[in-house]
Amino acid sequence: MAPLTVGVVRERAAGERRVALVPGDLARLTRVAARGGAPPVVLVEADAGRAARHDNAAYAAAGADVVTADELDARADLVLAVGRPAPHRLRTGQVVVGMLAGRSGDGYVADLAGLGVTAVSLDLVPRTLSRAQEMDALTSQATVAGYRAVILAANAFERYFPMLVTAAGTAKPAEVLVLGAGVAGLAAIGTARRLGAVVRAYDVRAAAREEAASVGAEVIVPGVLADATGAGGYARELTADEQRAATAELAARVVRHDVVIATAQVPGRRPPLLVDEETVKAMAPGSVLVDLASGPLGGNVALSVPDRTVVTDNGVTVIGAGNLPSSMAAAASAAYSRNVVALLGHLLRDGELAFDPTDEIHASVVATRNGEVRS
Ligand code: NAD
């Protein structure tokens, strides 16, 4: 039996610097992808890892063949990506692994189904299943984003995060408010605390508030609603009236903080507006807001623009976070690569995708197979 040929593509999306497999994981991939005992052939598109600080020589030294895009497209049975490879690069019978589905379904997966490509999407890993945690790329990447958001905020904030006692006087610690205590929010809380800030957290899910308290944040309980947990353990979308009341209640808290890190999302919905324009403008000069939810549909913070930093007339900095994991491409790629290899270890048997619809992980991540869109 011919060995399985695995291809690692160079990402093409603007600003995307991550790579799906790092050289250090080649040996692990070889173990899980052997076909009939034969080790896989691993092809890496030239410069696929360059922006994540892995040069072609590092892949070659780890045993991969560095090839052109055309050669990879022609030879790979299994394509590894971070984002979505262009459909015209894929062909019938290939399996493509990446973050393919996205939070709001569009036509991409259906296009792959039409091509007869099998799509395995890491953003469909069942997140509450403990045996799937090592495959959970949404979590690994949100962790990077939460950390990076605090570093960006600290960099833009022109005072100290920790309390500092010096001969020249005492600096009081920064007061940081984290809105949304999911994976990114918890990473932000931990990072801000390690920098010495006083950290408060706010979330509409009671479970998230408990987790925030357990990592050392002082929790703000919304007075307007006790718990808004919805499907799959995520937050449900608040009604317009509920959100208006929550935003109004939050405003008095927001203006008393130096730094706000906003991470609130509702799967498949536009992000809730948690800090309105009036509140941004009422903050003290020098305050910093980082909006991780900032995107084409809006964000948690009025005035935030994705990938842009806006400074208001009153000196408040609003950072619209774009692809933060990509801005820490080395760490984000290392974690993502581990997620990919763990998932392949679960899906592959004897170098083939051994699809088992009775297995929760298989049933969730295989987005299309044999022309049928499954999720
Ligand atoms: P997310 O990105 O969808 O949202 C971030 C946070 O924003 C969430 O905590 C959410 O409750 C909060 N939020 C949403 N609307 C809000 C609003 N109007 N006001 C204030 N806060 C609001 O969430 P996520 O970080 O991707 O994941 C959270 C979910 O995933 C939880 O159910 C969590 O338990 C689950 N999860 C579980 C595991 C595990 O069990 N191993 C791992 C990862 C995630």
PDB file of all heavy atoms in Angstrom, residues 272-300:
ATOM      1  N   PRO A 272     -22.463  41.070  21.299  1.00  0.00           N
ATOM      2  CA  PRO A 272     -23.260  42.072  22.023  1.00  0.00           C
ATOM      3  C   PRO A 272     -22.457  43.352  22.267  1.00  0.00           C
ATOM      4  O   PRO A 272     -21.257  43.297  22.538  1.00  0.00           O
ATOM      5  CB  PRO A 272     -23.560  41.376  23.354  1.00  0.00           C
ATOM      6  CG  PRO A 272     -22.473  40.369  23.528  1.00  0.00           C
ATOM      7  CD  PRO A 272     -22.081  39.920  22.153  1.00  0.00           C
ATOM      8  N   LEU A 273     -23.143  44.483  22.174  1.00  0.00           N
ATOM      9  CA  LEU A 273     -22.491  45.768  22.473  1.00  0.00           C
ATOM     10  C   LEU A 273     -22.557  45.978  23.990  1.00  0.00           C
ATOM     11  O   LEU A 273     -23.638  46.166  24.546  1.00  0.00           O
ATOM     12  CB  LEU A 273     -23.198  46.916  21.748  1.00  0.00           C
ATOM     13  CG  LEU A 273     -22.523  48.275  21.968  1.00  0.00           C
ATOM     14  CD1 LEU A 273     -21.194  48.347  21.222  1.00  0.00           C
ATOM     15  CD2 LEU A 273     -23.426  49.414  21.541  1.00  0.00           C
ATOM     16  N   LEU A 274     -21.401  45.906  24.632  1.00  0.00           N
ATOM     17  CA  LEU A 274     -21.361  45.994  26.096  1.00  0.00           C
ATOM     18  C   LEU A 274     -20.932  47.375  26.588  1.00  0.00           C
ATOM     19  O   LEU A 274     -21.218  47.758  27.717  1.00  0.00           O
ATOM     20  CB  LEU A 274     -20.401  44.939  26.672  1.00  0.00           C
ATOM     21  CG  LEU A 274     -20.656  43.490  26.278  1.00  0.00           C
ATOM     22  CD1 LEU A 274     -19.711  42.571  27.039  1.00  0.00           C
ATOM     23  CD2 LEU A 274     -22.097  43.085  26.563  1.00  0.00           C
ATOM     24  N   VAL A 275     -20.181  48.085  25.742  1.00  0.00           N
ATOM     25  CA  VAL A 275     -19.712  49.419  26.132  1.00  0.00           C
ATOM     26  C   VAL A 275     -20.111  50.378  25.013  1.00  0.00           C
ATOM     27  O   VAL A 275     -19.585  50.296  23.902  1.00  0.00           O
ATOM     28  CB  VAL A 275     -18.178  49.432  26.336  1.00  0.00           C
ATOM     29  CG1 VAL A 275     -17.722  50.804  26.815  1.00  0.00           C
ATOM     30  CG2 VAL A 275     -17.731  48.347  27.310  1.00  0.00           C
ATOM     31  N   ASP A 276     -21.058  51.272  25.309  1.00  0.00           N
ATOM     32  CA  ASP A 276     -21.525  52.164  24.234  1.00  0.00           C
ATOM     33  C   ASP A 276     -20.621  53.399  24.124  1.00  0.00           C
ATOM     34  O   ASP A 276     -19.715  53.606  24.942  1.00  0.00           O
ATOM     35  CB  ASP A 276     -23.007  52.526  24.423  1.00  0.00           C
ATOM     36  CG  ASP A 276     -23.273  53.226  25.749  1.00  0.00           C
ATOM     37  OD1 ASP A 276     -22.310  53.761  26.345  1.00  0.00           O
ATOM     38  OD2 ASP A 276     -24.432  53.225  26.192  1.00  0.00           O
ATOM     39  N   GLU A 277     -20.895  54.198  23.109  1.00  0.00           N
ATOM     40  CA  GLU A 277     -20.002  55.326  22.807  1.00  0.00           C
ATOM     41  C   GLU A 277     -19.929  56.325  23.963  1.00  0.00           C
ATOM     42  O   GLU A 277     -18.863  56.827  24.309  1.00  0.00           O
ATOM     43  CB  GLU A 277     -20.486  56.007  21.517  1.00  0.00           C
ATOM     44  CG  GLU A 277     -19.522  57.034  21.014  1.00  0.00           C
ATOM     45  CD  GLU A 277     -19.866  57.551  19.619  1.00  0.00           C
ATOM     46  OE1 GLU A 277     -20.585  56.848  18.875  1.00  0.00           O
ATOM     47  OE2 GLU A 277     -19.403  58.657  19.285  1.00  0.00           O
ATOM     48  N   GLU A 278     -21.092  56.572  24.559  1.00  0.00           N
ATOM     49  CA  GLU A 278     -21.142  57.522  25.676  1.00  0.00           C
ATOM     50  C   GLU A 278     -20.222  57.064  26.811  1.00  0.00           C
ATOM     51  O   GLU A 278     -19.515  57.868  27.429  1.00  0.00           O
ATOM     52  CB  GLU A 278     -22.600  57.554  26.168  1.00  0.00           C
ATOM     53  CG  GLU A 278     -23.020  58.808  26.856  1.00  0.00           C
ATOM     54  CD  GLU A 278     -24.480  58.660  27.301  1.00  0.00           C
ATOM     55  OE1 GLU A 278     -25.316  58.136  26.526  1.00  0.00           O
ATOM     56  OE2 GLU A 278     -24.754  59.043  28.436  1.00  0.00           O
ATOM     57  N   THR A 279     -20.221  55.776  27.065  1.00  0.00           N
ATOM     58  CA  THR A 279     -19.397  55.230  28.154  1.00  0.00           C
ATOM     59  C   THR A 279     -17.913  55.340  27.804  1.00  0.00           C
ATOM     60  O   THR A 279     -17.091  55.707  28.651  1.00  0.00           O
ATOM     61  CB  THR A 279     -19.794  53.763  28.439  1.00  0.00           C
ATOM     62  OG1 THR A 279     -21.206  53.717  28.629  1.00  0.00           O
ATOM     63  CG2 THR A 279     -19.093  53.215  29.654  1.00  0.00           C
ATOM     64  N   VAL A 280     -17.563  55.007  26.547  1.00  0.00           N
ATOM     65  CA  VAL A 280     -16.149  55.139  26.142  1.00  0.00           C
ATOM     66  C   VAL A 280     -15.704  56.572  26.389  1.00  0.00           C
ATOM     67  O   VAL A 280     -14.631  56.820  26.959  1.00  0.00           O
ATOM     68  CB  VAL A 280     -15.969  54.767  24.644  1.00  0.00           C
ATOM     69  CG1 VAL A 280     -14.549  55.079  24.176  1.00  0.00           C
ATOM     70  CG2 VAL A 280     -16.307  53.299  24.390  1.00  0.00           C
ATOM     71  N   LYS A 281     -16.552  57.516  26.000  1.00  0.00           N
ATOM     72  CA  LYS A 281     -16.156  58.922  26.101  1.00  0.00           C
ATOM     73  C   LYS A 281     -16.164  59.429  27.541  1.00  0.00           C
ATOM     74  O   LYS A 281     -15.567  60.465  27.837  1.00  0.00           O
ATOM     75  CB  LYS A 281     -17.055  59.771  25.199  1.00  0.00           C
ATOM     76  CG  LYS A 281     -16.751  59.464  23.734  1.00  0.00           C
ATOM     77  CD  LYS A 281     -17.502  60.331  22.774  1.00  0.00           C
ATOM     78  CE  LYS A 281     -16.957  60.127  21.367  1.00  0.00           C
ATOM     79  NZ  LYS A 281     -17.850  60.613  20.337  1.00  0.00           N
ATOM     80  N   ALA A 282     -16.836  58.674  28.425  1.00  0.00           N
ATOM     81  CA  ALA A 282     -16.866  59.090  29.836  1.00  0.00           C
ATOM     82  C   ALA A 282     -15.688  58.520  30.630  1.00  0.00           C
ATOM     83  O   ALA A 282     -15.514  58.842  31.806  1.00  0.00           O
ATOM     84  CB  ALA A 282     -18.184  58.630  30.467  1.00  0.00           C
ATOM     85  N   MET A 283     -14.883  57.666  29.986  1.00  0.00           N
ATOM     86  CA  MET A 283     -13.742  57.074  30.709  1.00  0.00           C
ATOM     87  C   MET A 283     -12.639  58.111  30.879  1.00  0.00           C
ATOM     88  O   MET A 283     -12.558  59.094  30.132  1.00  0.00           O
ATOM     89  CB  MET A 283     -13.212  55.851  29.963  1.00  0.00           C
ATOM     90  CG  MET A 283     -14.220  54.699  29.988  1.00  0.00           C
ATOM     91  SD  MET A 283     -13.617  53.240  29.136  1.00  0.00           S
ATOM     92  CE  MET A 283     -12.522  52.549  30.381  1.00  0.00           C
ATOM     93  N   ALA A 284     -11.781  57.881  31.871  1.00  0.00           N
ATOM     94  CA  ALA A 284     -10.701  58.833  32.137  1.00  0.00           C
ATOM     95  C   ALA A 284      -9.696  58.807  30.990  1.00  0.00           C
ATOM     96  O   ALA A 284      -9.434  57.742  30.408  1.00  0.00           O
ATOM     97  CB  ALA A 284     -10.020  58.452  33.442  1.00  0.00           C
ATOM     98  N   PRO A 285      -9.114  59.961  30.671  1.00  0.00           N
ATOM     99  CA  PRO A 285      -8.047  59.983  29.655  1.00  0.00           C
ATOM    100  C   PRO A 285      -6.953  58.991  30.034  1.00  0.00           C
ATOM    101  O   PRO A 285      -6.618  58.863  31.219  1.00  0.00           O
ATOM    102  CB  PRO A 285      -7.520  61.424  29.729  1.00  0.00           C
ATOM    103  CG  PRO A 285      -8.620  62.216  30.333  1.00  0.00           C
ATOM    104  CD  PRO A 285      -9.373  61.290  31.247  1.00  0.00           C
ATOM    105  N   GLY A 286      -6.438  58.283  29.045  1.00  0.00           N
ATOM    106  CA  GLY A 286      -5.397  57.284  29.322  1.00  0.00           C
ATOM    107  C   GLY A 286      -5.949  55.879  29.487  1.00  0.00           C
ATOM    108  O   GLY A 286      -5.188  54.904  29.516  1.00  0.00           O
ATOM    109  N   SER A 287      -7.287  55.755  29.600  1.00  0.00           N
ATOM    110  CA  SER A 287      -7.876  54.411  29.717  1.00  0.00           C
ATOM    111  C   SER A 287      -7.706  53.668  28.397  1.00  0.00           C
ATOM    112  O   SER A 287      -7.600  54.271  27.331  1.00  0.00           O
ATOM    113  CB  SER A 287      -9.375  54.501  30.033  1.00  0.00           C
ATOM    114  OG  SER A 287      -9.592  55.294  31.166  1.00  0.00           O
ATOM    115  N   VAL A 288      -7.721  52.343  28.495  1.00  0.00           N
ATOM    116  CA  VAL A 288      -7.515  51.508  27.303  1.00  0.00           C
ATOM    117  C   VAL A 288      -8.599  50.441  27.250  1.00  0.00           C
ATOM    118  O   VAL A 288      -8.885  49.786  28.265  1.00  0.00           O
ATOM    119  CB  VAL A 288      -6.134  50.804  27.351  1.00  0.00           C
ATOM    120  CG1 VAL A 288      -5.946  49.891  26.143  1.00  0.00           C
ATOM    121  CG2 VAL A 288      -5.002  51.825  27.428  1.00  0.00           C
ATOM    122  N   LEU A 289      -9.203  50.273  26.088  1.00  0.00           N
ATOM    123  CA  LEU A 289     -10.143  49.162  25.880  1.00  0.00           C
ATOM    124  C   LEU A 289      -9.605  48.294  24.749  1.00  0.00           C
ATOM    125  O   LEU A 289      -9.179  48.815  23.710  1.00  0.00           O
ATOM    126  CB  LEU A 289     -11.537  49.666  25.499  1.00  0.00           C
ATOM    127  CG  LEU A 289     -12.250  50.551  26.511  1.00  0.00           C
ATOM    128  CD1 LEU A 289     -12.133  52.012  26.104  1.00  0.00           C
ATOM    129  CD2 LEU A 289     -13.732  50.171  26.627  1.00  0.00           C
ATOM    130  N   VAL A 290      -9.630  46.971  24.946  1.00  0.00           N
ATOM    131  CA  VAL A 290      -9.266  46.045  23.873  1.00  0.00           C
ATOM    132  C   VAL A 290     -10.505  45.207  23.575  1.00  0.00           C
ATOM    133  O   VAL A 290     -11.064  44.578  24.476  1.00  0.00           O
ATOM    134  CB  VAL A 290      -8.092  45.115  24.270  1.00  0.00           C
ATOM    135  CG1 VAL A 290      -7.735  44.180  23.114  1.00  0.00           C
ATOM    136  CG2 VAL A 290      -6.873  45.930  24.690  1.00  0.00           C
ATOM    137  N   ASP A 291     -10.926  45.227  22.320  1.00  0.00           N
ATOM    138  CA  ASP A 291     -12.155  44.526  21.932  1.00  0.00           C
ATOM    139  C   ASP A 291     -11.809  43.285  21.111  1.00  0.00           C
ATOM    140  O   ASP A 291     -11.520  43.365  19.924  1.00  0.00           O
ATOM    141  CB  ASP A 291     -13.038  45.485  21.116  1.00  0.00           C
ATOM    142  CG  ASP A 291     -14.412  44.894  20.830  1.00  0.00           C
ATOM    143  OD1 ASP A 291     -14.652  43.730  21.224  1.00  0.00           O
ATOM    144  OD2 ASP A 291     -15.241  45.600  20.229  1.00  0.00           O
ATOM    145  N   LEU A 292     -11.850  42.119  21.767  1.00  0.00           N
ATOM    146  CA  LEU A 292     -11.545  40.872  21.056  1.00  0.00           C
ATOM    147  C   LEU A 292     -12.679  40.428  20.155  1.00  0.00           C
ATOM    148  O   LEU A 292     -12.494  39.570  19.296  1.00  0.00           O
ATOM    149  CB  LEU A 292     -11.266  39.736  22.056  1.00  0.00           C
ATOM    150  CG  LEU A 292      -9.815  39.526  22.429  1.00  0.00           C
ATOM    151  CD1 LEU A 292      -9.406  40.507  23.484  1.00  0.00           C
ATOM    152  CD2 LEU A 292      -9.589  38.120  22.919  1.00  0.00           C
ATOM    153  N   ALA A 293     -13.852  40.986  20.375  1.00  0.00           N
ATOM    154  CA  ALA A 293     -15.008  40.581  19.557  1.00  0.00           C
ATOM    155  C   ALA A 293     -15.130  41.442  18.305  1.00  0.00           C
ATOM    156  O   ALA A 293     -16.015  41.219  17.479  1.00  0.00           O
ATOM    157  CB  ALA A 293     -16.282  40.699  20.401  1.00  0.00           C
ATOM    158  N   SER A 294     -14.230  42.407  18.163  1.00  0.00           N
ATOM    159  CA  SER A 294     -14.301  43.339  17.045  1.00  0.00           C
ATOM    160  C   SER A 294     -14.212  42.603  15.701  1.00  0.00           C
ATOM    161  O   SER A 294     -13.296  41.811  15.477  1.00  0.00           O
ATOM    162  CB  SER A 294     -13.122  44.316  17.192  1.00  0.00           C
ATOM    163  OG  SER A 294     -13.107  45.223  16.141  1.00  0.00           O
ATOM    164  N   GLY A 295     -15.170  42.840  14.851  1.00  0.00           N
ATOM    165  CA  GLY A 295     -15.174  42.160  13.546  1.00  0.00           C
ATOM    166  C   GLY A 295     -16.105  42.880  12.606  1.00  0.00           C
ATOM    167  O   GLY A 295     -16.631  43.960  12.935  1.00  0.00           O
ATOM    168  N   PRO A 296     -16.328  42.292  11.432  1.00  0.00           N
ATOM    169  CA  PRO A 296     -17.156  42.984  10.446  1.00  0.00           C
ATOM    170  C   PRO A 296     -18.585  43.231  10.929  1.00  0.00           C
ATOM    171  O   PRO A 296     -19.245  44.157  10.472  1.00  0.00           O
ATOM    172  CB  PRO A 296     -17.144  42.040   9.238  1.00  0.00           C
ATOM    173  CG  PRO A 296     -16.552  40.747   9.711  1.00  0.00           C
ATOM    174  CD  PRO A 296     -15.785  41.020  10.947  1.00  0.00           C
ATOM    175  N   LEU A 297     -19.063  42.418  11.884  1.00  0.00           N
ATOM    176  CA  LEU A 297     -20.444  42.574  12.362  1.00  0.00           C
ATOM    177  C   LEU A 297     -20.553  43.514  13.562  1.00  0.00           C
ATOM    178  O   LEU A 297     -21.619  43.698  14.124  1.00  0.00           O
ATOM    179  CB  LEU A 297     -21.027  41.214  12.763  1.00  0.00           C
ATOM    180  CG  LEU A 297     -21.180  40.180  11.654  1.00  0.00           C
ATOM    181  CD1 LEU A 297     -21.717  38.868  12.213  1.00  0.00           C
ATOM    182  CD2 LEU A 297     -22.125  40.712  10.573  1.00  0.00           C
ATOM    183  N   GLY A 298     -19.423  44.091  13.965  1.00  0.00           N
ATOM    184  CA  GLY A 298     -19.445  44.951  15.147  1.00  0.00           C
ATOM    185  C   GLY A 298     -18.559  44.355  16.221  1.00  0.00           C
ATOM    186  O   GLY A 298     -17.707  43.507  15.930  1.00  0.00           O
ATOM    187  N   GLY A 299     -18.770  44.775  17.445  1.00  0.00           N
ATOM    188  CA  GLY A 299     -17.925  44.273  18.531  1.00  0.00           C
ATOM    189  C   GLY A 299     -18.594  44.550  19.854  1.00  0.00           C
ATOM    190  O   GLY A 299     -19.770  44.899  19.910  1.00  0.00           O
ATOM    191  N   ASN A 300     -17.836  44.381  20.938  1.00  0.00           N
ATOM    192  CA  ASN A 300     -18.367  44.650  22.279  1.00  0.00           C
ATOM    193  C   ASN A 300     -18.240  46.116  22.658  1.00  0.00           C
ATOM    194  O   ASN A 300     -18.860  46.559  23.626  1.00  0.00           O
ATOM    195  CB  ASN A 300     -17.603  43.831  23.335  1.00  0.00           C
ATOM    196  CG  ASN A 300     -17.785  42.326  23.231  1.00  0.00           C
ATOM    197  OD1 ASN A 300     -16.915  41.567  23.656  1.00  0.00           O
ATOM    198  ND2 ASN A 300     -18.903  41.866  22.686  1.00  0.00           N
TER     199      ASN A 300
END
